[in-house]
Amino acid sequence: MSLALFCPSKPADAVDVQQVAPGVWRLRFGNPEPLTPIHFRSAEPAVEAMKSLPAAKDLPIALKQISFSVRPRGCTLELPMTRGERIYGLGLNTTFFEMSGKRAFIVPGDQPENEANVSHAPEPFYVSSDGFGVFVDTARFASFYTGNVDPTSKPPGADSAGNEAASAGGVEDLYRARELRKRTMLIDVPTAQGVDVYLFSGPAMMDVVRRYNLFSGGGCVPPMWGLGMAYRGLNKFTADDSLKLAQSFRDDHIPCDIWGLEPGWQTHAYSCSFVWNRKAFPDPDGFVRQMGVMGYRLNLWEHCFTHPTSPIYEALAPYSGNYRVWSGLVPDFAMPEARKIFLGLHEKEVFSKGISGVKLDECDYQPFRSTNVWSFPEPSQFPSGMDGEQMHSMLGVLYQQTMKEPFDQRNLRTWGLVRNSQALASPLPYTVYSDSYDHRSYVRGVAKSGFQGLLWTPEVRNAESVEEFYRRTQTVIFTPFALINSWFLRMPPWMQVDREKNNAGQVMADHAEVTAAVKKLFEVRMSLVPYLYSAFNEYHLHGTPPNRALVMDWPEDPNVAAIDDQFMCGPSIMVAPMFTGQTHRSVYLPKGTWYDFWTGEKYEGGRRIDIGKPAEIGPVFVKGDTLLPLAAPTERFADNTCYDITVRVYGDHPSAAALFEDDGVSNDFQQGKQNRIDLTWAEGKGSEVRTGSYAGPARYRIVGWDRVASKAIK
Ligand code: GAL
């Protein structure tokens, strides 16, 4: 091994530093690899929007405090950490929330409930409670040792004892050096002989995240129908099965916008042919048309591994990796040729038929099991020059980008699902989902998604009990993709929650009550569509994540630092899900006034309260001094949908709120074809002001202002 490659750890003040966007600095160490998340970015930074964020003039970390070294195994970075510094982000692992004191692997996997930080969306980006963000631009399986390593050499900028500024004296000082040494952020980037690190300035964590999302290009805006309810039928459903069940939803007025077809629509699914199975779907065009007449948007399941019977197999082979998965080719989506061939077949079978979105399955990996390791190995080679490790990091993002192209060409928005994502993904209109199913972990996933430009659905499938089914539904309706994923259930879970009994056709005795209760929850979701649409427009315009942990909104409150069983939904709603077996739970209400969403009861915050709710509803709170626009629930979004809005008025001096009005389906809003309806309340009276140049059918009619009288002060 050549010793010439060894380069001792050294301060990084010789490093190339560039301010690349307002409040964002790129630090170039050594010779970075070319094929990284920045290289494959989905959109250019939204620089104009970034200008309006508060930003420090200087780097959030002094260069002399950062060290970098290159060795045969790759490169390492050391960043300082302060004593109380907390770390958020680094992917969508659902076991951990705050990430300091750990080794966080940035490795994709299909089981996010684990202690190795494996997740569907490993992300080399973190937000520090000290008010800055760090993005390491790598497609390598990096590790972040978040404050638990103890280097023997003195960190740059420290004195001989390792203290930044040791003071002689008290007993505390005896231990000071040890504590400080433990607070080094060590980042291991294997293979690479250099790396670009992007520092994001605060001052607050919310500013960091907004800046990161805008730097990524700004958050996606779903089509309005994407915010409705989504149902996925049994994997084996035929066209008739889907049509029948879909019609029964309409007959029973069960809200549903998106209908998902699982593997059975194809002639071969593991791996995929991308060709309709004509036995189950004799007339795909007719089927799509009939579903459209009923007002459904179709979403098709697939993964990218291309089966030998697929008509594109031969053509795709030269643009694929040198290992197959389930006998299927792994297309190299970094090659335009691969995208073109792949999309050519999809154009014919999928997009030209009017499919509205896709579910991109299996693009993660299962690296740490001793049995049943699946997907391609890390030493794989791809024609673009990527190896298997890099491709595993980028596959989800490249696949999402590829499948978005046909919609961009049609000037249509899409709304899809994906099982792998990575950095800079906020502009991509896909929500991450999982086969894992622990409800508590799912809620943590919702809270975590907001740190890093990701969307997460705690999808509902079967349940051990009706109570569990309610509790899960109460969570999912406050997240981006309100998904009932019945891919292994013949009947909807509200007819029978138990998987075996469901498939044996045994309807629950109380199914009528359960259906009525679930329908009410779906209607709550539908009443929130305009509010959520505003939250997503804020995501797009200002980078504010629609779902987030409380610590982002109340960074100064030490009580929220570790709260991961409550989350924010939009600017003013806080959800505190209950879990099976709980008859009541402790909820932390941050400082200020809060109102119970269901009863209007008023609470003073800055404390914990104990709250109980019947199984049919979960604890949801609205921030005081809020204008909350709620729609009369529709069953689905249609081109001519106009929501009847009642604005709930919480408190005497509510802040203004805005509704965003546009065609709901195209990208014209990005060219300014959008109205903003500003809602304000003064002197006991509400008013609305509409501005903008959207001239299509009105989306909103304000039918009332409802002062929420506080029913009780607690
Ligand atoms: C899984 C996926 C499920 C379902 C299933 C169908 O991999 O996560 O949601 O789509 O495949 O085979």
Side-chain angles (χ1 to χ4, degrees):
M1 194 140 314
S2 156
L3 270 184
L5 278 175
F6 180 79
C7 147
S9 233
K10 59 172 191 201
D13 38 15
V15 77
D16 171 41
V17 180
Q18 267 185 45
Q19 182 158 11
V20 290
V24 186
W25 291 267
R26 191 195 68 191
L27 280 46
R28 173 157 290 176
F29 298 99
N31 299 313
E33 294 189 299
L35 302 175
T36 64
I38 286 278
H39 175 81
F40 292 118
R41 62 181 310 145
S42 307
E44 288 305 309
V47 175
E48 277 312 306
M50 293 176 84
K51 285 184 188 159
S52 61
L53 288 174
K57 289 212 169 50
D58 297 324
L59 286 173
I61 306 176
L63 277 185
K64 67 174 182 358
Q65 289 191 299
I66 303 176
S67 64
F68 167 75
S69 59
V70 181
R71 298 193 173 91
R73 74 163 272 112
C75 60
T76 57
L77 283 155
E78 275 183 42
L79 276 67
M81 282 177 70
T82 57
R83 197 185 297 227
E85 184 174 351
R86 286 170 276 113
I87 303 293
Y88 299 98
L90 295 172
L92 258 189
N93 169 282
T94 55
T95 294
F96 297 123
F97 179 63
E98 195 273 309
M99 296 301 295
S100 66
K102 302 187 174 59
R103 176 183 182 180
F105 262 126
I106 306 301
V107 185
D110 70 337
Q111 310 256 324
E113 292 159 18
N114 65 77
E115 298 216 333
N117 197 51
V118 171
S119 79
H120 294 285
E123 196 162 331
F125 172 70
Y126 68 84
V127 192
S128 160
S129 59
D130 285 355
F132 63 87
V134 176
F135 166 51
V136 179
D137 182 30
T138 182
R140 295 291 166 197
F141 294 168
S143 285
F144 289 66
Y145 295 78
T146 54
N148 51 354
V149 292
D150 191 4
T152 55
S153 63
K154 72 172 185 146
D159 69 7
S160 57
N163 290 323
E164 280 168 11
S167 66
V171 175
E172 290 149 26
D173 288 332
L174 291 175
Y175 295 93
R176 190 148 176 252
R178 192 176 75 178
E179 282 172 20
L180 283 177
R181 279 189 180 280
K182 277 166 76 179
R183 307 298 285 174
T184 291
M185 170 70 78
L186 172 70
I187 304 167
D188 171 38
V189 185
T191 310
Q193 301 296 298
V195 73
D196 284 341
V197 175
Y198 291 77
L199 297 182
F200 291 77
S201 102
M205 285 203 283
M206 181 71 97
D207 302 312
V208 174
V209 169
R210 284 180 174 144
R211 200 181 312 281
Y212 175 69
N213 288 338
L214 291 173
F215 180 72
S216 307
C220 57
V221 178
M224 287 199 99
W225 52 263
L227 294 174
M229 292 302 306
Y231 188 88
R232 307 194 71 86
L234 181 69
N235 53 355
K236 294 192 269 233
F237 267 2
T238 62
D240 282 348
D241 292 331
S242 272
L243 286 166
K244 251 211 240 55
L245 189 56
Q247 182 59 54
S248 79
F249 284 16
R250 294 295 182 235
D251 295 343
D252 297 340
H253 306 289
I254 293 173
C256 190
D257 270 282
I258 301 173
W259 192 269
L261 297 186
E262 286 288 315
W265 72 271
Q266 295 182 43
T267 51
H268 208 280
Y270 284 83
S271 46
C272 288
S273 63
F274 314 111
V275 172
W276 287 87
N277 171 355
R278 299 271 169 170
K279 278 199 199 116
F281 293 84
D283 173 18
D285 292 288
F287 169 73
V288 175
R289 204 171 39 247
Q290 277 174 279
M291 290 298 287
V293 170
M294 284 191 268
Y296 289 98
R297 317 279 169 161
L298 282 174
N299 177 294
L300 262 49
W301 173 99
E302 65 165 58
H303 59 237
C304 63
F305 310 126
T306 305
H307 191 254
T309 58
S310 176
I312 52 173
Y313 187 87
E314 302 274 308
L316 196 59
Y319 306 106
S320 301
N322 58 344
Y323 287 88
R324 297 189 302 175
V325 180
W326 300 311
S327 318
L329 298 172
V330 184
D332 185 348
F333 289 127
M335 304 285 293
E337 295 88 341
R339 287 193 188 206
K340 192 163 169 228
I341 294 162
F342 197 79
L343 286 177
L345 178 58
H346 279 79
E347 186 56 38
K348 175 164 172 268
E349 295 287 309
V350 177
F351 300 117
S352 65
K353 299 200 185 317
I355 301 301
S356 301
V358 282
K359 167 174 170 178
L360 307 177
D361 207 22
E362 319 284 5
C363 44
D364 39 35
Y365 182 31
Q366 192 170 279
F368 292 137
R369 289 226 194 131
S370 50
T371 56
N372 192 24
V373 174
W374 59 269
S375 208
F376 49 90
E378 283 146 50
S380 300
Q381 282 303 319
F382 287 85
S384 60
M386 276 200 271
D387 62 29
E389 179 186 17
Q390 293 168 301
M391 185 56 94
H392 274 302
S393 295
M394 297 316 309
L395 182 58
V397 163
L398 292 171
Y399 195 10
Q400 292 172 68
Q401 291 171 353
T402 304
M403 300 305 269
K404 182 172 168 284
E405 269 178 37
F407 294 100
D408 289 342
Q409 281 160 10
R410 290 172 164 80
N411 187 26
L412 283 176
R413 284 178 249 170
T414 179
W415 197 231
L417 292 159
V418 72
R419 238 177 57 183
N420 176 239
S421 202
Q422 226 254 15
L424 309 173
S426 65
L428 294 168
Y430 295 85
T431 298
V432 180
Y433 67 96
S434 182
D435 280 347
S436 69
Y437 202 45
D438 178 52
H439 186 197
R440 177 68 186 82
S441 305
Y442 266 22
V443 170
R444 189 176 290 116
V446 179
K448 278 185 84 164
S449 60
F451 292 119
Q452 43 207 338
L454 296 168
L455 305 173
W456 168 256
T457 174
E459 64 173 49
V460 181
R461 303 196 287 269
N462 59 325
E464 300 275 308
S465 62
V466 168
E467 179 198 353
E468 181 197 334
F469 175 57
Y470 287 152
R471 294 304 187 204
R472 289 179 175 279
T473 307
Q474 287 155 22
T475 302
V476 83
I477 57 173
F478 293 98
T479 68
F481 213 110
L483 174 61
I484 309 295
N485 183 11
S486 298
W487 75 271
F488 55 64
L489 299 176
R490 186 158 277 282
M491 293 183 291
W494 48 89
M495 302 300 286
Q496 172 57 265
V497 295
D498 179 88
R499 179 174 181 168
E500 271 172 33
K501 290 184 187 154
N502 185 306
N503 289 321
Q506 296 171 26
V507 171
M508 293 186 297
D510 54 353
H511 72 89
E513 289 99 285
V514 177
T515 307
V518 156
K519 204 167 122 181
K520 277 203 184 121
L521 291 171
F522 290 3
E523 285 171 357
V524 169
R525 166 59 172 221
M526 299 312 286
S527 72
L528 288 170
V529 168
Y531 170 82
L532 291 169
Y533 197 59
S534 295
F536 271 97
N537 273 281
E538 288 297 328
Y539 189 35
H540 178 66
L541 293 170
H542 303 117
T544 313
N547 280 142
R548 11 175 237 291
L550 271 52
V551 71
M552 278 184 62
D553 291 55
W554 291 273
E556 308 300 334
D557 182 348
N559 297 313
V560 300
I563 292 183
D564 60 1
D565 61 353
Q566 301 174 209
F567 60 85
M568 294 301 292
C569 167
S572 335
I573 293 179
M574 196 232 326
V575 185
M578 281 173 74
F579 302 100
T580 312
Q582 286 183 329
T583 50
H584 55 102
R585 64 158 287 176
S586 162
V587 175
Y588 184 74
L589 300 176
K591 214 167 114 200
T593 307
W594 291 88
Y595 295 82
D596 183 309
F597 175 80
W598 310 100
T599 64
E601 281 172 293
K602 182 174 162 183
Y603 295 86
E604 277 318 310
R607 64 186 176 123
R608 285 201 163 267
I609 59 162
D610 197 65
I611 187 148
K613 286 282 173 205
E616 293 79 3
I617 57 176
V620 179
F621 297 88
V622 182
K623 229 163 61 172
D625 285 332
T626 284
L627 293 178
L628 180 66
L630 288 182
T634 59
E635 281 173 39
R636 65 182 179 92
F637 175 81
D639 289 346
N640 59 356
T641 293
C642 179
Y643 294 97
D644 282 341
I645 302 280
T646 300
V647 185
R648 282 200 195 163
V649 183
Y650 292 94
D652 292 333
H653 305 287
S655 319
L659 290 167
F660 291 82
E661 181 176 65
D662 53 37
D663 62 28
V665 294
S666 83
N667 292 321
D668 288 352
F669 73 99
Q670 291 179 355
Q671 269 67 57
K673 288 202 181 141
Q674 186 176 61
N675 297 335
R676 201 186 140 104
I677 302 163
D678 285 296
L679 306 171
T680 50
W681 177 267
E683 289 159 20
K685 207 175 147 287
S687 54
E688 49 178 298
V689 176
R690 209 183 222 95
T691 47
S693 59
Y694 164 74
R699 285 278 165 247
Y700 307 108
R701 188 165 40 219
I702 312 290
V703 296
W705 297 76
D706 181 9
R707 282 207 83 167
V708 178
S710 100
K711 306 270 182 340
I713 298 191
K714 293 205 172 173

